[in-house]
Amino acid sequence: MPKEIFILNQPILAVHQLNKSFGAKQVLHDVSFACQRGHVIGLVGANGAGKTTLMKAILGLTTATGQIRIDGQPTSFDHHEVLHEVGALIEYPSIYPFMSGRDHLKLFAKGPHRRQRIDRTIADLHLTKYIDRPAKGYSLGMKQKLGIALAILNDPKLVVLDEPMNGLDPQANKELRELIITKRQAGTTFLISSHILGELQRIADDLLVIDHGKIVKQTTMADLLAASSHQLILSTSDDAMARKVLTKAGYLLTEDPKPTIRVGAKTQLEPILDALSHQQITVLDIQHHDADLEDSVLKLLAQDQLQKEGQI
């Protein structure tokens, strides 16, 4: 294979068998995954699952065993020269209270065209109104936006963001989402941890689901949502009898009071209505529900827990 093609197809981030322990407690277990260039990768899991520790290991902020490569180059706690190509916001942004936001950007700007990049970043994140004020007067959302600005300021190839939506109002969330999409289209890769799954669903191409320090699922957003079940929620003239009729007909029902039927995308509604009509049950209302990212992730985590307990 020609060298140029190999470089083009090379993941921007590759993690192989990463392990991390704090004393006797192991918090990362043989974590392996790769991030493709120009993708937004969502990292999701419960609190304490290992998301922040994993991000810190990637950024050389904590020791870990295993292999991490960024843009093809190995990096670790002791050797992380390649991190000049990475921007990051981990936990809370480090801000000097008596410096203005603009002074922070000046302090961290590198390379040529610094002023242009500073001005562009201020405009992209809508910081103009307060960028020249001392940061000690910033709200949580203002500080968060400044932290994101510092992460993207030097046009890094890879941006690692830990809970970037924390403290942002709906308008700021929308602006950040649009900025991430624009930068992704320009070739920037994002690894984003967030508990706001509705926002992540709108921007992520790929997903890493982590549970108790292990990657339990690596997939695309489209594939995960497509694999989730479609549901019909029926209100009838006799819900108790409707449950019996539909269960006998072989439909899988949830435990909800109303007959909620899990069906495949190609399931026909007419046989369901015929079965109920045959028993003189009138259908009063039909609602369609497709599982969202939150539903899908919770289902994965529940399955993982059952596997740990040996129940499946």
Side-chain angles (χ1 to χ4, degrees):
M1 178 181 294
K3 184 177 181 181
E4 291 79 4
I5 296 178
F6 172 78
I7 293 174
L8 181 64
N9 294 330
Q10 183 174 261
I12 186 66
L13 171 64
V15 176
H16 182 64
Q17 293 186 337
L18 198 67
N19 289 277
K20 171 65 180 177
S21 296
F22 292 106
K25 182 179 181 181
Q26 187 169 353
V27 293
L28 295 179
H29 303 261
D30 292 325
V31 172
S32 298
F33 64 91
C35 298
Q36 301 304 315
R37 299 170 188 272
H39 283 215
V40 175
I41 300 94
L43 178 63
V44 299
N47 290 339
K51 301 186 299 294
T52 299
T53 301
L54 174 57
M55 289 181 156
K56 285 183 174 180
I58 291 169
L59 295 167
L61 298 176
T62 188
T63 58
T65 62
Q67 299 178 2
I68 303 171
R69 288 183 174 270
I70 295 175
D71 204 17
Q73 301 180 53
T75 183
S76 67
F77 181 75
D78 299 315
H79 303 281
H80 45 255
E81 291 79 4
V82 71
L83 290 178
H84 72 273
E85 298 179 348
V86 180
L89 172 61
I90 299 295
E91 295 181 324
Y92 299 100
S94 298
I95 291 176
Y96 301 100
F98 295 100
M99 288 176 57
S100 70
R102 189 183 301 274
D103 286 337
H104 280 82
L105 296 176
K106 289 179 179 179
L107 180 63
F108 288 96
K110 301 175 183 177
H113 312 298
R114 298 182 189 184
R115 177 172 293 182
Q116 292 92 325
R117 279 187 283 107
I118 289 172
D119 290 343
R120 185 189 66 207
T121 302
I122 291 170
D124 285 344
L125 282 162
H126 305 273
L127 307 176
T128 306
K129 289 183 179 179
Y130 54 86
I131 195 64
D132 293 305
R133 300 179 196 167
K136 65 177 182 179
Y138 285 12
S139 67
L140 174 60
M142 292 175 181
K143 292 177 180 178
Q144 192 75 354
K145 289 175 74 173
L146 179 57
I148 295 167
L150 293 169
I152 67 174
L153 173 63
N154 293 310
D155 294 327
K157 296 179 180 179
L158 172 66
V159 179
V160 179
L161 301 175
D162 186 15
E163 300 290 353
M165 289 86 171
N166 274 357
L168 300 187
D169 60 31
Q171 180 62 32
N173 264 332
K174 179 177 182 293
E175 293 166 356
L176 175 59
R177 184 170 68 242
E178 291 172 346
L179 178 59
I180 289 172
I181 292 171
T182 298
K183 287 193 169 293
R184 175 193 65 187
Q185 292 170 343
T188 305
T189 304
F190 288 85
L191 177 62
I192 302 176
S193 164
S194 179
H195 68 278
I196 307 177
L197 299 187
E199 287 294 331
L200 204 57
Q201 182 175 341
R202 298 183 181 190
I203 56 175
D205 302 293
D206 307 312
L207 280 174
L208 295 167
V209 182
I210 187 170
D211 188 33
H212 293 90
K214 296 181 180 180
I215 300 294
V216 298
K217 188 75 172 181
Q218 179 173 6
T219 185
T220 67
M221 178 70 75
D223 285 348
L224 181 63
L225 295 178
S228 301
S229 59
H230 178 74
Q231 293 184 338
L232 297 176
I233 303 173
L234 306 181
S235 294
T236 71
S237 57
D238 189 341
D239 286 349
M241 180 58 68
R243 293 187 67 85
K244 294 179 181 179
V245 171
L246 295 174
T247 300
K248 185 176 181 179
Y251 292 100
L252 179 62
L253 275 64
T254 68
E255 297 299 321
D256 298 331
K258 292 183 178 181
T260 302
I261 309 169
R262 301 177 187 175
V263 297
K266 297 183 180 180
T267 300
Q268 298 296 315
L269 180 60
E270 187 174 348
I272 297 173
L273 299 179
D274 286 344
L276 295 174
S277 177
H278 187 69
Q279 298 296 326
Q280 285 77 51
I281 299 172
T282 302
V283 176
L284 304 176
D285 183 53
I286 302 174
Q287 298 178 18
H288 296 262
H289 175 73
D290 289 298
D292 58 14
L293 179 57
E294 180 176 304
D295 296 330
S296 302
V297 169
L298 290 175
K299 181 180 178 182
L300 276 174
L301 295 177
Q303 289 174 342
D304 183 59
Q305 184 60 37
L306 289 175
Q307 287 178 338
K308 287 185 174 68
E309 297 170 355
Q311 297 184 33
I312 58 174

Short mmCIF file of all heavy atoms in Angstrom, two decimals, residues 222-249:
data_model
loop_
_atom_site.label_atom_id
_atom_site.label_comp_id
_atom_site.label_asym_id
_atom_site.label_seq_id
_atom_site.Cartn_x
_atom_site.Cartn_y
_atom_site.Cartn_z
N ALA A 222 -25.93 6.08 14.04
CA ALA A 222 -27.01 5.59 13.18
C ALA A 222 -27.32 4.13 13.46
O ALA A 222 -28.49 3.73 13.56
CB ALA A 222 -26.64 5.79 11.71
N ASP A 223 -26.29 3.30 13.61
CA ASP A 223 -26.50 1.87 13.84
C ASP A 223 -27.12 1.62 15.21
O ASP A 223 -27.99 0.74 15.35
CB ASP A 223 -25.18 1.11 13.72
CG ASP A 223 -24.72 0.95 12.28
OD1 ASP A 223 -25.52 1.24 11.37
OD2 ASP A 223 -23.56 0.56 12.07
N LEU A 224 -26.69 2.36 16.21
CA LEU A 224 -27.24 2.15 17.55
C LEU A 224 -28.72 2.50 17.58
O LEU A 224 -29.54 1.76 18.13
CB LEU A 224 -26.48 2.99 18.58
CG LEU A 224 -26.96 2.83 20.03
CD1 LEU A 224 -26.77 1.41 20.51
CD2 LEU A 224 -26.24 3.81 20.95
N LEU A 225 -29.08 3.62 16.98
CA LEU A 225 -30.49 4.04 17.00
C LEU A 225 -31.34 3.12 16.12
O LEU A 225 -32.49 2.83 16.46
CB LEU A 225 -30.61 5.49 16.54
CG LEU A 225 -29.96 6.53 17.44
CD1 LEU A 225 -30.12 7.93 16.86
CD2 LEU A 225 -30.54 6.48 18.86
N ALA A 226 -30.76 2.64 15.01
CA ALA A 226 -31.51 1.75 14.12
C ALA A 226 -31.81 0.42 14.79
O ALA A 226 -32.82 -0.23 14.50
CB ALA A 226 -30.73 1.53 12.83
N ALA A 227 -30.90 -0.01 15.69
CA ALA A 227 -31.09 -1.29 16.37
C ALA A 227 -32.11 -1.20 17.50
O ALA A 227 -32.54 -2.22 18.03
CB ALA A 227 -29.76 -1.78 16.93
N SER A 228 -32.47 0.01 17.88
CA SER A 228 -33.43 0.18 18.97
C SER A 228 -34.85 -0.10 18.48
O SER A 228 -35.18 0.14 17.32
CB SER A 228 -33.36 1.61 19.52
OG SER A 228 -32.06 1.88 20.01
N SER A 229 -35.67 -0.58 19.38
CA SER A 229 -37.00 -1.01 18.98
C SER A 229 -37.96 0.17 18.83
O SER A 229 -37.87 1.17 19.54
CB SER A 229 -37.56 -1.99 20.01
OG SER A 229 -37.63 -1.38 21.28
N HIS A 230 -38.85 0.01 17.88
CA HIS A 230 -39.97 0.94 17.71
C HIS A 230 -41.10 0.44 18.60
O HIS A 230 -41.27 -0.75 18.80
CB HIS A 230 -40.40 0.95 16.24
CG HIS A 230 -41.56 1.84 15.96
ND1 HIS A 230 -41.47 3.21 15.94
CD2 HIS A 230 -42.87 1.55 15.71
CE1 HIS A 230 -42.65 3.73 15.65
NE2 HIS A 230 -43.51 2.75 15.53
N GLN A 231 -41.85 1.37 19.16
CA GLN A 231 -42.94 0.98 20.05
C GLN A 231 -44.25 1.62 19.62
O GLN A 231 -44.26 2.76 19.14
CB GLN A 231 -42.64 1.36 21.50
CG GLN A 231 -41.48 0.60 22.11
CD GLN A 231 -41.27 0.94 23.57
OE1 GLN A 231 -41.69 2.00 24.03
NE2 GLN A 231 -40.63 0.05 24.31
N LEU A 232 -45.33 0.88 19.79
CA LEU A 232 -46.67 1.40 19.62
C LEU A 232 -47.32 1.47 21.01
O LEU A 232 -47.29 0.49 21.75
CB LEU A 232 -47.52 0.49 18.73
CG LEU A 232 -47.05 0.31 17.28
CD1 LEU A 232 -47.95 -0.69 16.56
CD2 LEU A 232 -47.08 1.64 16.54
N ILE A 233 -47.86 2.62 21.36
CA ILE A 233 -48.52 2.79 22.65
C ILE A 233 -50.01 2.96 22.37
O ILE A 233 -50.45 3.94 21.75
CB ILE A 233 -47.96 4.02 23.39
CG1 ILE A 233 -46.44 3.88 23.57
CG2 ILE A 233 -48.64 4.17 24.75
CD1 ILE A 233 -45.77 5.11 24.15
N LEU A 234 -50.79 1.97 22.80
CA LEU A 234 -52.22 1.94 22.48
C LEU A 234 -53.06 2.31 23.69
O LEU A 234 -52.79 1.86 24.81
CB LEU A 234 -52.63 0.54 22.01
CG LEU A 234 -51.85 -0.07 20.84
CD1 LEU A 234 -52.42 -1.44 20.51
CD2 LEU A 234 -51.90 0.83 19.63
N SER A 235 -54.08 3.12 23.46
CA SER A 235 -55.14 3.34 24.45
C SER A 235 -56.40 2.69 23.89
O SER A 235 -56.79 2.96 22.74
CB SER A 235 -55.37 4.83 24.68
OG SER A 235 -54.23 5.43 25.27
N THR A 236 -57.02 1.83 24.69
CA THR A 236 -58.17 1.08 24.18
C THR A 236 -59.35 1.18 25.14
O THR A 236 -59.24 1.69 26.26
CB THR A 236 -57.81 -0.41 24.00
OG1 THR A 236 -57.67 -1.01 25.30
CG2 THR A 236 -56.50 -0.57 23.22
N SER A 237 -60.46 0.62 24.72
CA SER A 237 -61.66 0.60 25.57
C SER A 237 -61.52 -0.41 26.70
O SER A 237 -62.26 -0.34 27.68
CB SER A 237 -62.89 0.25 24.72
OG SER A 237 -62.70 -1.01 24.06
N ASP A 238 -60.56 -1.33 26.61
CA ASP A 238 -60.32 -2.32 27.67
C ASP A 238 -58.85 -2.71 27.62
O ASP A 238 -58.48 -3.70 26.99
CB ASP A 238 -61.23 -3.54 27.48
CG ASP A 238 -61.18 -4.49 28.67
OD1 ASP A 238 -60.21 -4.41 29.46
OD2 ASP A 238 -62.10 -5.33 28.79
N ASP A 239 -58.00 -1.92 28.30
CA ASP A 239 -56.55 -2.15 28.22
C ASP A 239 -56.14 -3.50 28.78
O ASP A 239 -55.24 -4.16 28.25
CB ASP A 239 -55.80 -1.04 28.95
CG ASP A 239 -55.81 0.29 28.19
OD1 ASP A 239 -56.22 0.26 27.01
OD2 ASP A 239 -55.40 1.31 28.77
N ALA A 240 -56.80 -3.94 29.86
CA ALA A 240 -56.43 -5.22 30.47
C ALA A 240 -56.69 -6.37 29.50
O ALA A 240 -55.84 -7.26 29.33
CB ALA A 240 -57.21 -5.42 31.77
N MET A 241 -57.85 -6.35 28.86
CA MET A 241 -58.15 -7.40 27.89
C MET A 241 -57.25 -7.28 26.66
O MET A 241 -56.82 -8.29 26.08
CB MET A 241 -59.63 -7.32 27.48
CG MET A 241 -60.04 -8.38 26.44
SD MET A 241 -59.76 -10.08 27.02
CE MET A 241 -60.98 -10.18 28.34
N ALA A 242 -56.96 -6.05 26.25
CA ALA A 242 -56.09 -5.84 25.09
C ALA A 242 -54.71 -6.45 25.34
O ALA A 242 -54.12 -7.06 24.43
CB ALA A 242 -55.96 -4.35 24.81
N ARG A 243 -54.20 -6.33 26.56
CA ARG A 243 -52.90 -6.93 26.88
C ARG A 243 -52.95 -8.44 26.71
O ARG A 243 -52.02 -9.06 26.17
CB ARG A 243 -52.50 -6.57 28.32
CG ARG A 243 -52.20 -5.09 28.55
CD ARG A 243 -51.65 -4.87 29.95
NE ARG A 243 -50.33 -5.48 30.08
CZ ARG A 243 -49.20 -4.88 29.71
NH1 ARG A 243 -49.21 -3.66 29.20
NH2 ARG A 243 -48.05 -5.51 29.86
N LYS A 244 -54.02 -9.06 27.19
CA LYS A 244 -54.16 -10.51 27.07
C LYS A 244 -54.23 -10.94 25.61
O LYS A 244 -53.59 -11.91 25.19
CB LYS A 244 -55.41 -10.98 27.81
CG LYS A 244 -55.34 -10.79 29.32
CD LYS A 244 -56.62 -11.26 29.99
CE LYS A 244 -56.57 -11.04 31.50
NZ LYS A 244 -57.84 -11.47 32.17
N VAL A 245 -55.01 -10.21 24.83
CA VAL A 245 -55.18 -10.55 23.41
C VAL A 245 -53.87 -10.43 22.66
O VAL A 245 -53.48 -11.33 21.88
CB VAL A 245 -56.26 -9.65 22.77
CG1 VAL A 245 -56.30 -9.83 21.25
CG2 VAL A 245 -57.63 -9.95 23.38
N LEU A 246 -53.16 -9.35 22.88
CA LEU A 246 -51.92 -9.12 22.13
C LEU A 246 -50.80 -10.05 22.59
O LEU A 246 -49.97 -10.48 21.79
CB LEU A 246 -51.51 -7.65 22.27
CG LEU A 246 -52.48 -6.65 21.64
CD1 LEU A 246 -52.06 -5.22 21.96
CD2 LEU A 246 -52.56 -6.84 20.12
N THR A 247 -50.77 -10.35 23.88
CA THR A 247 -49.77 -11.30 24.38
C THR A 247 -50.00 -12.68 23.78
O THR A 247 -49.06 -13.36 23.34
CB THR A 247 -49.83 -11.39 25.92
OG1 THR A 247 -49.56 -10.10 26.47
CG2 THR A 247 -48.80 -12.39 26.44
N LYS A 248 -51.27 -13.11 23.73
CA LYS A 248 -51.61 -14.41 23.13
C LYS A 248 -51.26 -14.44 21.65
O LYS A 248 -50.88 -15.49 21.10
CB LYS A 248 -53.10 -14.68 23.33
CG LYS A 248 -53.53 -16.07 22.85
CD LYS A 248 -55.00 -16.31 23.16
CE LYS A 248 -55.43 -17.71 22.71
NZ LYS A 248 -56.86 -17.97 23.01
N ALA A 249 -51.35 -13.26 20.99
CA ALA A 249 -51.02 -13.18 19.56
C ALA A 249 -49.52 -13.16 19.30
O ALA A 249 -49.09 -13.16 18.14
CB ALA A 249 -51.67 -11.94 18.96
#
